[in-house]
Each structure stands twice: as structure tokens, then as C-alpha cells.
Amino acid sequence: MIVKNEEELLSRCLDSVMRLADEIIIVDTGSTDRTKEIAGEYAAKLFDYTWCNDFAAARNESIRHASGKWILVLDADEYLAENEYDKWNEFLNNAQSMDYLAYTMSVINFTGDKKTQEEISTMPVTRLFPNFKGIYFERPIHEQLTRGQHGELYHKQIALNIYHTGYQTQRVTEKNKHERNMSIFNEMKKHDSMSDYDWYTIGNEYRNAGEVEEAIRCYEQAFKEKYSKLAWYPFCLVGLISLYSQESRWQRVEELTNNQLSEFSDYADYHTIKGIQYETMGWVDQAIACFIDAINVAEQRASNDQEIWLVEPAYSFEKPVLQLVELYFQLNDNQQAIYWLSKLLHKNNKNPQVLLKLVEWLCQNESPDSVIILLNKIYDVTDKSNCNLLFIVSLVLGQAELVKYYVKYIDSLDHLSLLDQIRFAVILDYKEEGLALSSSDQQLDVDDQLQLWVQTAVGAIRWNDYSGIIQIKDEFKTDEISKLTELIVSMITKEHLPDEQDLKSHSSSLFLVAKQLFLIKDFEKFDEFINFMRSSELVNQLANYFYKLNLTEMAMNYYSILLSEQQLDFTSLINLGRYHVNHHYYDEAVEFFSEAVKLEPTTKSLYYSLIRHAKNEQKAEYINKFIADFPDFVGITFVDDFLHQEKELILY
């Protein structure tokens, strides 16, 4: 290891290798915190080294002191998983040490701001190699192993993993890694010593920093077909496709996908990426076929004990399944949508967002007993962590029957946040307890303040007592909460009618209150609230929410009112268009999609349905408009083929 000021994470790393490593060698490049002290606690061999802006030089200094048969290189923000120790030992005990062979493994990266919102990506790195074979590092940054003049060093992929949290947002900010890395790259540029791999890695730096055009330029500089067998090549390729997609440069996306990524069609990544391209352009059936192919390919590779994904773990199951769920809901094929949601939850039942989505839908379409039976098939209720998760999700969704069932398995409610305590009181109609909880001495961000206010407002409406929200208004002192409180108080006191502009401006927050009143099944108060707070913005949000939950009759009642008043918003128009397509009412569907395009002229994905389902005299009009408004997309092969077929139908 080479380290500097790593007191925060060094112990975790060293704990993870203590039962595997015969010796731990740490080269310190100038720590001023407790890093050296912590290293001493693990009996590490510690060496000081003067940093010279060259990672390879520092790595080679650490290798110089190694006496073991094998060398594993780690950073302080990396660690090994305890449940994989047997795999490591099996490999190290059986692998033959060869002077021309080093071993590549996956680094699993956890990125994001919060533990509950982490994203996972993977990157191949060569970190394990035999000692005393003349293998060393070169390149000042993103250093690479080499044998120098002794011949080529070959890299073999093995099924071992390193876990990495070093690029979480907080850690990047703390260590200023981007600035440090860029200074090394800039020095290399001055000396014209950038390899193609270096251009790829500097592209990663720009991408992580959100500098898209610079990232594209660097990836293109690195990107050459002759490198297709190198471990970093598919990562560069998929990264480039992702950036071009972000910039809506879809012709280049298709070119790279069809000509280069198709070489890896035996991986799920190719099919998922292809499906996203179809979905973006509105080709729903083709997108669904691609996502199902991705899942099947991943399952086939798993059954053959092959590496499942090429670049992104999520591309092999989670991403295609989530896309399928959304598409099947669009098609009103709720059975298929719920099937795939259940599959996703069976795969990872600790994902709260998937659980929320599934339970929210089920609670509006099944009895509470049926929902509990299903959840208990997925979760072991003797596991306290499972019960806590199910209890919190039930609270968030306002489901009294589920809350009452799962609270029996909770040891104590003392651990609940103030927000969840208020939810609990409101759902179970505990007025005195709920009113007593209105005061907050916690430091909350704006979103949490609003959520706390929403739950208190629901209680105020339910109990006809606004003292709690007055207290919250006085504590938080935000313009949004102050105005919302005025609206709720005026509803309860009935002293005056609300201002129309206030209702429009605050419709999103008012929707949260209405939604919660609906979820807790206080329909009398719900109706009273809607009648008092009614605006077209609020009614559109409610209609779309009911439509999403398969409460079609309720949604259509709201849509009818909005249609008669010509106040359907963009999302409502799209939902109505899809509804009519799904029921083969194509003329009506075209009308709704046409109105949606008028509201949002840049929505290219609607043109597939418009052109496909329009009558011939309209079909030509939409084709011409699409070509005029989106000339860059006409060159995409499947789009061009579709337009050609539709033109032939007109002529026929």
C-alpha cells in the first residue's frame, strides 16, 4: 500500500486482509494524521517516502520491501469481503507463479451521496502478481504493471473482487483527488507522454467532474478498435456511448453500439444499452425484447459460471428489470409489471425503493391480508431488520393494517425518527400523541422540513386542530411552509377562500398532503381537501397518481373534468394517449399525443406512436414534422427504416 492521511479508512482495509496476508507493507508519503499509528497497530512494515508526483515510483518502493510469494496491491479506501476469503485462499494456494502473468480482478465501486442512494459500478484492475519475477509499475498516474524489456506481461481475469468507496462524493471533496490527478496529467501532457490508456483515464477524471465535452474528447483520443481485447476498452466504449446519449447525439450512439459494442453481444450490457436506445425513441416493443434478452443472457452466463456483466453490474438485471416495470405499466400490463418488481425484490429484498413501489401498488389493488401473505413469502419476519424495513415502508405508505401487523415484531418504537413517530400517530389516529410531537429540536434540511410539515398537516386536517403546523411554521420559518400553513388553517377555520395563485404555486406540496389523506383512507377529509384546494395543477397530479396505481376509474373521472376544462397537462395527455393505444382507440390516442407534442415540441419519443397510428393524411404531416424538427435522428437505422415503411403505407 501507499498512503497519506488515511486514518479514516485504513483500519477497515487492514482488518479485511489480516487473515489473508503474511505481511503488510505500507509506504507513507507524508501523513500528518494517525495513519502511521494505525499501521503500527497491525504490525505493518512502515516506510517513509518523499512524494514526487509519481504513483508508479511510490508503488515500486513498496514492492522493493516485499518478501512474500504473491503481491496484492490495495488502496486505503479499498477492502476485501470476508465471505470471499475462501476464494482468495483457494486461488493463492493453487495458482502457479509465472513471470509473464499477472491477474486482473473487479473493483466494485460504491458511489453517491448517501448510503441509501448508492450506485454500483465495476472496473477491472490488475492488482495481484508474483514477486521476484521482474514485474513493476510504470506511468505516473493510473499506474500499470509491466515487465519492461523482459517481454510482454499478460493479464488474466479471475473471479475475485476488491471493494472500493474512494469516489463517494464526500471522499472526493475531502481529498481533492480530481485536482491532484489533473496536475499529474497536465505534467504528462507537457512532456507529450500520454498513452491511449492515459487518455482514457483522464477522460474518466473529466467525466467524474461533469465536464462532458472534455471527457468525450479524451475518450475519442483513447478509443481505437485495435484495443478491443484490452480490459479497459469496453469501459471506454460504454462510457463514450453514455456521454453521447447524455448529449442526445444518437447517430454516434447507434454507430458505436452497432459497430463496436455488438462485439460484446454475449454480455447483458449490449442488450440493455440497445433497449435504452429503443425506449428513448418510443419503440416500446423492441425495447422490451432487448431488456428480456439482457436478463436471459446474464442468466445464461451465470449458469455457465462466467463473468455476468461486461461493465456495469446493474445492466445484467436491475436496470433491464426496472425498465421493463416502467414499460409494462405504460402498456397497462400490470400483471407483468408486478411480476418483474417481485423478481427484483426476490433478488435483493433490502432495496427500499423497489419495496415501496411494489407495496404501494399492491395496497391499492389487493387486500391487506393478501399483501402481508406475499411479503411474508419474500421476507423472514423472525429477522428484526426485515421487520423494521417492512414497518417503515408501511408507515411511509400510510397503510394502517400493515403497520398494525408489523409493529408486533418491533421491539421498540424509540428508534423512530420524529417524522416516523408523527406518521405512526396520524395513521393510527392517535390525536394526543400526534399533537404532542409537533415540536422539533432537530436540524433538518429543506426536504425533511417539508415532509415533517406534510405529516403534521395531515394530522391537523384529520383532527381539525392546526396547532401543530403553527408550531412547525414558527420553528422552520420558510416562505413555503408559512404559505402552506395559511392555506391549511383557512381550510380548517373556513374563514376565507384560498388565493388561486397560491394554490397553483404550491400545488406540488398540496399534492403530498392529498396523497397521504388518500393513503390513510380518510376519504371524507380527502374530498374536503380537494374541493377546497382545487387547482388544475393539483387535479392533474392526482389523476396521474391514480393512473399509475391502476386506479383507472378514479383517474378517468379526474381526466374527464380536466378535458372538459381543457386543462390536461403534458403527463396527463401522454397517459391518456397510452391508455387509448392500449385499448386500440387509435384516433383518440393520436389526438392526445398531438396535444402533448404541442406542449412539449422536443418530445421525439411520441412521434413513433403518432406516425404509426395516424391516418394517412396525418401520417405524412407527422413524418415531415419529425424530419424537420429532428434531422439528427433521421439517420438512425431503425428510425430511418420505420419512416421508409410508413411512407410506403401512405403511397399504397
Side-chain angles (χ1 to χ4, degrees):
M1 304 179 68
I2 58 173
V3 299
K4 181 180 178 181
N5 294 336
E6 294 288 1
E7 64 177 10
E8 180 187 350
L9 292 174
L10 184 58
S11 293
R12 182 186 67 179
C13 176
L14 298 182
D15 281 335
S16 79
V17 298
M18 280 295 291
R19 287 165 45 200
L20 292 174
D22 296 308
E23 63 180 0
I24 298 173
I25 295 166
I26 296 180
V27 167
D28 188 276
T29 62
S31 293
T32 57
D33 62 1
R34 293 185 58 251
T35 294
K36 290 185 179 182
E37 180 184 339
I38 293 169
E41 294 171 359
Y42 290 84
K45 298 177 181 178
L46 185 66
F47 303 92
D48 289 316
Y49 182 79
T50 302
W51 177 246
C52 59
N53 247 26
D54 189 326
F55 281 93
R59 294 283 189 210
N60 291 333
E61 174 66 12
S62 69
I63 293 173
R64 190 168 69 85
H65 298 285
S67 62
K69 178 181 178 181
W70 293 98
I71 292 174
L72 171 67
V73 176
L74 291 178
D75 288 332
D77 48 13
E78 298 172 339
Y79 59 97
L80 306 184
E82 185 175 357
N83 61 0
E84 296 178 2
Y85 283 172
D86 289 345
K87 288 183 179 179
W88 281 94
N89 281 319
E90 181 182 0
F91 178 83
L92 293 168
N93 291 333
N94 297 319
Q96 185 178 353
S97 171
M98 291 178 281
D99 57 5
Y100 58 85
L101 186 61
Y103 294 95
T104 299
M105 57 204 67
S106 293
V107 172
I108 310 296
N109 296 296
F110 296 92
T111 59
D113 293 320
K114 298 180 180 178
K115 289 182 180 178
T116 55
Q117 296 177 338
E118 283 181 346
E119 297 173 358
I120 301 175
S121 62
T122 182
M123 175 70 72
V125 292
T126 304
R127 294 287 193 82
L128 184 67
F129 54 95
N131 200 5
F132 310 120
K133 301 292 185 182
I135 299 172
Y136 63 93
F137 283 97
E138 64 177 0
R139 318 286 321 153
I141 187 168
H142 296 294
E143 59 279 10
Q144 296 290 291
L145 288 168
T146 181
R147 296 176 67 213
Q149 296 179 347
H150 297 292
E152 186 173 356
L153 179 68
Y154 294 93
H155 302 249
K156 182 177 180 180
Q157 182 81 31
I158 55 177
L160 295 173
N161 299 307
I162 295 171
Y163 296 87
H164 178 223
T165 57
Y167 283 99
Q168 285 183 305
T169 304
Q170 183 180 357
R171 291 278 295 157
V172 173
T173 302
E174 289 172 356
K175 300 197 69 171
N176 297 314
K177 284 186 174 182
H178 178 66
E179 289 80 2
R180 177 202 66 191
N181 293 350
M182 291 307 299
S183 68
I184 299 174
F185 278 126
N186 290 334
E187 192 65 29
M188 293 169 66
K189 286 181 185 178
K190 288 180 185 177
H191 295 88
D192 197 27
S193 59
M194 294 282 289
S195 69
D196 294 304
Y197 174 77
D198 292 328
W199 282 111
Y200 160 62
T201 56
I202 195 175
N204 290 338
E205 292 292 335
Y206 282 122
R207 186 181 178 189
N208 290 335
E211 299 181 41
V212 174
E213 285 302 325
E214 279 300 311
I216 288 175
R217 186 180 66 82
C218 293
Y219 280 160
E220 288 283 15
Q221 181 76 20
F223 182 76
K224 292 179 182 175
E225 191 171 354
K226 67 179 181 181
Y227 294 130
S228 61
K229 300 303 179 185
L230 296 181
W232 59 267
Y233 173 87
F235 290 83
C236 182
L237 173 58
V238 172
L240 198 52
I241 290 171
S242 175
L243 290 172
Y244 279 132
S245 300
Q246 191 175 324
E247 295 292 289
S248 295
R249 295 165 64 176
W250 293 102
Q251 285 192 23
R252 183 65 174 140
V253 167
E254 187 194 39
E255 178 186 339
L256 291 170
T257 303
N258 290 350
N259 297 338
Q260 274 78 37
L261 190 61
S262 58
E263 181 180 343
F264 304 97
S265 60
D266 54 339
Y267 285 91
D269 304 49
Y270 166 77
H271 301 281
T272 297
I273 290 169
K274 192 73 177 173
I276 292 170
Q277 293 169 29
Y278 277 122
E279 183 180 356
T280 301
M281 296 304 298
W283 269 250
V284 172
D285 292 340
Q286 294 86 339
I288 287 175
C290 286
F291 294 136
I292 291 175
D293 284 343
I295 296 164
N296 290 338
V297 166
E299 289 178 348
Q300 182 63 44
R301 293 187 70 86
S303 67
N304 293 332
D305 201 25
Q306 295 174 295
E307 190 173 22
I308 298 174
W309 57 80
L310 178 67
V311 171
E312 289 288 347
Y315 284 166
S316 62
F317 188 77
E318 183 176 356
K319 182 66 174 176
V321 170
L322 285 173
Q323 299 303 111
L324 283 173
V325 169
E326 291 303 315
L327 291 174
Y328 279 125
F329 273 136
Q330 287 181 23
L331 295 172
N332 295 132
D333 192 343
N334 298 295
Q335 185 175 356
Q336 279 294 321
I338 296 305
Y339 165 78
W340 286 107
L341 265 180
S342 300
K343 289 266 287 187
L344 193 57
L345 205 57
H346 274 287
K347 189 92 168 180
N348 176 17
N349 67 7
K350 300 300 184 184
N351 188 325
Q353 297 307 315
V354 174
L355 178 59
L356 270 169
K357 194 177 186 71
L358 177 65
V359 176
E360 182 178 34
W361 193 93
L362 288 174
C363 285
Q364 300 304 325
N365 294 275
E366 303 287 344
S367 69
D369 288 342
S370 298
V371 176
I372 290 169
I373 289 171
L374 174 62
L375 293 176
N376 288 355
K377 288 180 179 177
I378 300 174
Y379 293 90
D380 177 6
V381 292
T382 63
D383 184 321
K384 296 297 183 185
S385 65
N386 286 341
C387 290
N388 280 323
L389 177 60
L390 293 167
F391 177 70
I392 294 298
V393 165
S394 302
L395 275 181
V396 171
L397 294 175
Q399 298 302 310
E401 294 89 346
L402 271 64
V403 168
K404 290 175 183 176
Y405 178 83
Y406 288 111
V407 75
K408 298 181 297 185
Y409 297 93
I410 307 299
D411 292 334
S412 169
L413 300 180
D414 295 340
H415 69 285
L416 292 182
S417 67
L418 176 62
L419 176 58
D420 285 334
Q421 289 180 53
I422 294 176
R423 282 180 172 136
F424 185 73
V426 170
I427 291 167
L428 298 186
D429 203 11
Y430 295 160
K431 178 179 179 179
E432 290 184 10
E433 292 88 339
L435 292 175
L437 288 167
S438 302
S439 178
S440 169
D441 57 359
Q442 304 176 27
Q443 294 296 316
L444 303 174
D445 62 28
V446 173
D447 287 342
D448 288 338
Q449 288 178 8
L450 180 60
Q451 286 297 326
L452 188 62
W453 179 89
V454 166
Q455 296 304 321
T456 309
V458 172
I461 295 168
R462 185 166 208 187
W463 301 319
N464 210 41
D465 187 329
Y466 53 79
S467 58
I469 54 171
I470 293 292
Q471 195 165 348
I472 286 182
K473 181 198 74 169
D474 293 341
E475 287 181 8
F476 293 145
K477 295 182 174 64
T478 68
D479 291 341
E480 170 83 353
I481 287 178
S482 294
K483 180 52 68 176
L484 286 167
T485 301
E486 288 180 23
L487 290 170
I488 299 299
V489 171
S490 65
M491 173 191 163
I492 293 173
T493 62
K494 299 181 174 57
E495 290 181 356
H496 57 82
L497 294 175
D499 179 77
E500 186 176 335
Q501 188 55 48
D502 286 340
L503 295 178
K504 291 180 179 294
S505 301
H506 300 285
S507 62
S508 294
S509 298
L510 293 172
F511 165 71
L512 296 177
V513 177
K515 172 183 169 182
Q516 201 65 25
L517 286 168
F518 177 80
L519 287 173
I520 66 174
K521 299 182 174 64
D522 195 336
F523 300 124
E524 182 180 344
K525 292 294 185 182
F526 172 81
D527 291 337
E528 182 183 342
F529 182 84
I530 300 305
N531 290 333
F532 190 84
M533 302 291 185
R534 181 182 167 183
S535 67
S536 62
E537 289 79 6
L538 176 60
V539 177
N540 271 288
Q541 289 180 75
L542 285 167
N544 294 325
Y545 177 66
F546 293 142
Y547 184 81
K548 183 181 73 171
L549 292 181
N550 194 40
L551 302 175
T552 309
E553 184 176 349
M554 292 185 67
M556 290 303 162
N557 288 337
Y558 280 70
Y559 285 141
S560 296
I561 295 170
L562 292 164
L563 179 60
S564 66
E565 297 173 355
Q566 296 185 322
Q567 291 181 328
L568 290 163
D569 68 9
F570 178 70
T571 304
S572 296
L573 288 165
I574 289 179
N575 283 342
L576 283 168
R578 288 170 177 162
Y579 175 83
H580 284 85
V581 166
N582 296 338
H583 291 81
H584 310 295
Y585 302 135
Y586 298 124
D587 290 346
E588 292 84 350
V590 168
E591 289 183 24
F592 287 119
F593 285 140
S594 179
E595 290 300 316
V597 167
K598 290 177 184 177
L599 289 180
E600 298 285 347
T602 60
T603 312
K604 57 188 174 294
S605 60
L606 294 181
Y607 276 89
Y608 176 78
S609 290
L610 271 172
I611 294 169
R612 183 180 177 191
H613 300 304
K615 293 179 178 177
N616 281 355
E617 56 270 22
Q618 290 179 295
K619 197 182 292 286
E621 175 189 341
Y622 292 128
I623 289 173
N624 292 335
K625 184 170 175 53
F626 179 81
I627 293 172
D629 290 349
F630 305 102
D632 293 341
F633 298 93
V634 176
I636 297 173
T637 304
F638 64 85
V639 175
D640 187 56
D641 290 344
F642 169 71
L643 294 177
H644 181 72
Q645 292 169 6
E646 293 298 316
K647 287 178 182 177
E648 286 188 341
L649 286 176
I650 295 171
L651 293 174
Y652 180 77

